[in-house]
């Protein structure tokens, strides 16, 4: 039977992970740290992927509703509950479909393991907005990219907002952080990508850029699509180190696309052929 606990004390220490700890504090808790999955569908996808739940925070009406099956799958962990208004006051935001789950962070694979069987990868350089990171993961999963690599300055894919925007696809597509930048190393570590056999395509608006539709890109056996941050794009040394500089043809009255929108177009054009539905 689930342990249903009515919230009566906002300051109870067991609620700190939902009410008072920052994303960085959750990340740096003893062990591998914790993250928060939000909404029943996202929680289900995390459970499907083998992530381990620690506790649930649910709007009362969902205990016998949308979250009933989740509770059954999370037997033995505490389930904290209250009305929607109380939970909003506790967390400081309106819960998506009234459900949060604290989960253990996994031990991440290294870059070489993530790339071992990949033919199409996305590389994010200093993408700091968690909503953009989440949207890029969703695009990558939907448009047949095999993996995502991130530089250390990127927003963590398991931050609550990134997980929510990704609709749980951060649990479905392999990802890893690149090592911190060393002297002579580009932020996105283009040298390592080349060692792993990838042709590298820097997404940047430059006079000598190839169109994203150029057949040399789709012909590459292994391709890394490298995307820069929201304000400055890719570092100049990253662009210079890549095999190709690539742009999305667009109306000249607009100077650029949001990085998440650009990723969708690039992945659609350069990703693997879409998988067929069974049957």
């Amino acid at each position: 039977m689930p342990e249903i606990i009515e919230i009566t004390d906002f300051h109870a220490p067991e609620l700190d992970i939902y009410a008072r700890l920052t994303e960085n504090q959750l990340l740096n808790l003893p062990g591998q740290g914790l993250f928060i999955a939000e909404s029943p569908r996202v929680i289900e996808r995390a459970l499907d992927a083998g992530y381990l739940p620690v506790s649930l925070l649910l709007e009362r009406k969902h205990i016998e509703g949308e979250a009933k099956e989740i509770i059954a799958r999370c037997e033995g962990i505490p389930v904290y509950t209250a009305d929607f208004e109380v939970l909003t006051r506790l967390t400081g935001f309106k819960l998506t479909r009234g459900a949060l789950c604290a989960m253990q962070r996994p031990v991440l694979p290294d870059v070489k393991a993530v790339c071992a069987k990949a033919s199409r990868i996305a590389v994010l350089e200093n993408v700091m907005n968690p909503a953009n990171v989440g949207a890029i993961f969703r695009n990558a999963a939907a448009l047949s990219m095999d993996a995502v690599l991130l530089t250390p300055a990127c927003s963590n894919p398991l931050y609550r907002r990134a997980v929510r925007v990704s609709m749980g696809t951060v649990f479905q597509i392999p990802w890893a952080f690149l090592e911190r930048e060393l002297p002579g190393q580009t932020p996105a570590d283009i040298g390592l990508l080349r060692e792993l056999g990838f042709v590298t395509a820097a997404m940047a608006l430059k006079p000598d850029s190839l169109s994203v539709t150029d057949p040399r890109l789709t012909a590459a056996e292994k391709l890394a699509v490298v995307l820069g941050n929201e304000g400055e794009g890719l570092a100049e040394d990253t662009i210079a180190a890549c095999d190709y500089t690539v742009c999305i043809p667009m109306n000249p009255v607009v100077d650029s696309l949001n990085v998440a929108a650009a990723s969708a177009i690039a992945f659609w054009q350069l990703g693997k052929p879409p998988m067929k539905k069974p049957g």
Side-chain angles (χ1 to χ4, degrees):
M1 292 292 292
E3 183 186 4
I4 308 295
I5 302 170
E6 183 75 21
I7 295 171
T8 57
D9 179 7
F10 273 22
H11 300 289
E14 58 268 26
L15 297 177
D16 285 350
I17 54 180
Y18 298 108
R20 286 170 286 279
L21 297 186
T22 66
E23 298 276 21
N24 280 333
Q25 288 171 324
L26 290 171
L27 174 63
N28 291 299
L29 287 172
Q32 293 297 314
L34 300 178
F35 70 94
I36 304 295
E38 180 180 2
S39 86
R41 179 174 294 181
V42 169
I43 295 168
E44 286 174 353
R45 287 180 173 170
L47 294 171
D48 290 344
Y51 285 73
L52 299 177
V54 173
S55 66
L56 285 160
L57 181 69
L58 301 175
E59 185 181 352
R60 184 181 290 106
K61 71 177 184 180
H62 291 311
I63 291 176
E64 292 297 328
E66 289 190 63
K68 187 174 181 178
E69 291 186 9
I70 292 171
I71 294 172
R73 295 180 66 179
C74 296
E75 188 175 352
I77 69 169
V79 179
Y80 303 104
T81 188
D83 290 332
F84 182 81
E85 294 76 13
V86 174
L87 297 182
T88 299
R89 286 170 53 205
L90 175 71
T91 63
F93 58 88
K94 295 182 178 180
L95 279 64
T96 303
R97 305 191 77 83
L100 296 177
C101 183
M103 295 186 145
Q104 294 180 12
R105 284 178 171 267
V107 177
L108 290 178
D110 65 24
V111 170
K112 291 183 179 179
V114 165
C115 294
K117 297 181 180 180
S119 64
R120 292 292 185 271
I121 65 172
V123 183
L124 310 188
E125 182 180 277
N126 305 345
V127 178
M128 300 174 188
N129 185 314
N132 282 336
V133 170
I136 292 168
F137 266 84
R138 190 173 183 182
N139 295 339
L143 299 169
S144 302
M145 303 297 283
D146 295 311
V148 178
L149 303 180
L150 306 98
T151 62
C154 285
S155 181
N156 194 289
L158 292 183
Y159 283 172
R160 180 185 61 84
R161 193 175 179 204
V163 172
R164 178 174 60 79
V165 172
S166 83
M167 288 299 296
T169 54
V170 294
F171 310 127
Q172 298 174 333
I173 187 167
W175 58 275
F177 277 103
L178 293 157
E179 297 293 332
R180 294 205 171 271
E181 189 177 354
L182 299 172
Q185 173 187 322
T186 60
D189 205 348
I190 302 304
L192 174 62
L193 298 176
R194 188 169 287 116
E195 287 177 18
L196 296 175
F198 286 91
V199 173
T200 50
M203 299 300 299
L205 295 171
K206 296 287 184 181
D208 59 347
S209 294
L210 300 181
S211 168
V212 73
T213 60
D214 192 290
R216 284 172 284 184
L217 301 171
T218 51
E221 182 178 345
K222 299 176 75 173
L223 183 69
V225 180
V226 189
L227 297 140
N229 73 16
E230 300 85 347
E232 300 176 353
L234 289 170
E236 289 295 331
D237 54 350
T238 296
I239 297 170
C242 284
D243 298 299
Y244 299 111
T245 305
V246 179
C247 71
I248 297 166
M250 68 180 78
N251 192 322
V253 300
V254 177
D255 59 359
S256 66
L257 289 172
N258 166 272
V259 64
S263 76
I265 297 170
F267 299 163
W268 181 83
Q269 177 65 33
L270 302 175
K272 297 182 302 183
M275 295 182 292
K276 294 182 179 179
K277 288 187 177 180

